[in-house]
Amino acid sequence: MDLSEGLAGWTDGNGAAFMVGRSLGIFDESGTFTQVKGVFWTDNPLGNALHEVLLQLVTAGVLERRAEPEDEQFRWSGR
């Protein structure tokens, strides 16, 4: 699955970062979020970098971002 398909709808920040990791080949396509959730639920270089990629894709206009009451969400811009 490519990133435009994986982020076609609003996705929470951790799930979106997981999709970015998959698209870069960091996480295996057959793996699940729960198998690597520690990457996203702790302060570490990989999780931080994947979140930064999301923010940079927003800046570039590739993704849209919204902050809901309790979580940050991303989706493919479609521009």
Side-chain angles (χ1 to χ4, degrees), residues 7-37:
L7 295 178
W10 288 109
T11 305
D12 71 86
N14 292 330
F18 177 65
M19 291 293 177
V20 168
R22 271 190 167 175
S23 72
L24 293 172
I26 296 168
F27 306 118
D28 190 275
E29 283 290 321
S30 64
T32 65
F33 176 82
T34 56
Q35 292 171 316
V36 296
K37 65 185 176 188

